[in-house]
Each structure stands twice: as structure tokens, then as C-alpha cells.
Amino acid sequence: MPNPKVLPPAAPAKLSVWADQSGTPYLVQQQPDGSTTFTPLETALAQAQPPAERLNTAREPLHTLLLGLVAVLGVVLLGYGLGFLAGASGQRVVVVPRSPLCDTQRSSFLFWSSETKECH
């Protein structure tokens, strides 16, 4: 059984960069037939494939609108969820009005009328 900690032997590199004594870099390619070719690095880079076409990352207006709508809906639902969890854990949310609530009761009999106002 092979030892799992031992790495397999590295395959020889098919591409490498070497420099001659004058410092000129060369791209060294090993061909399938076993021969080796030396190409000046500047020439090899000039022949390199052009970069792939860049994708446009700008969002379309409809996508932006839908993303905003989903974000607003998420915030609203998150608020309801937090309120539900607060109620489920026994906490009470009390809304205090700015002015006192008043009940007005009116009663009348023939020509007699009365009005009672109760404020809480």
C-alpha cells in the first residue's frame, strides 16, 4: 500500500523560461518528439493569444429595479420576523400615542342632550 504522505514524482515541465549569459530571456518548450525549442520571450509574448473578451458587469435597469425591490421586501419581512420572534419570547411591544386617547359619548332625549368625554 503506497504511503499517502509521499507525493508522486513531478512531471518534467514542458514550458520554462531561461536566460543566456547576456541576460536575454528565452521561452523553452519541450516538444512531444523530445526536441527542445528556444524562442525569445518577447517574441513568444507577442504571439500569445489575445485576452478573452471581457464581460460587461454593468447591470441592466430592470435587474437594478428588481434587486432594489427584493431588498426592500427583505427589510420589511425581516422587521415582521423580528416582531414575531419578540412576541414569541414573551416580550411585549407597547405603542404609546403622542396625545391621550379620548372617547366621546353623546346622548340625547327629546330636547336634552349631554356629552361625556373620557380620556385614557
Side-chain angles (χ1 to χ4, degrees):
M1 182 168 151
N3 187 352
K5 293 183 180 179
V6 176
L7 295 174
K14 296 196 181 233
L15 288 176
S16 59
V17 176
W18 289 42
D20 61 4
Q21 292 177 350
S22 66
T24 307
Y26 289 94
L27 178 67
V28 180
Q29 276 183 304
Q30 201 168 27
Q31 302 298 328
D33 62 356
S35 63
T36 305
T37 58
F38 293 87
T39 310
L41 192 58
E42 291 179 12
T43 307
L45 290 176
Q47 294 172 353
Q49 296 177 355
E53 182 179 332
R54 288 185 58 166
L55 297 176
N56 188 3
T57 58
R59 291 193 164 91
E60 295 179 15
L62 180 61
H63 289 155
T64 305
L65 177 70
L66 290 176
L67 185 62
L69 186 63
V70 166
V72 169
L73 185 63
V75 168
V76 169
L77 290 177
L78 181 65
Y80 277 118
L82 289 175
F84 175 77
L85 291 176
S89 66
Q91 297 179 5
R92 299 287 177 222
V93 178
V94 178
V95 178
V96 178
R98 292 186 182 191
S99 60
L101 295 175
C102 296
D103 293 329
T104 305
Q105 297 176 352
R106 293 186 181 115
S107 63
S108 62
F109 181 74
L110 293 178
F111 299 107
W112 180 266
S113 64
S114 66
E115 187 173 291
T116 307
K117 194 173 196 180
E118 292 181 21
C119 294
H120 304 282

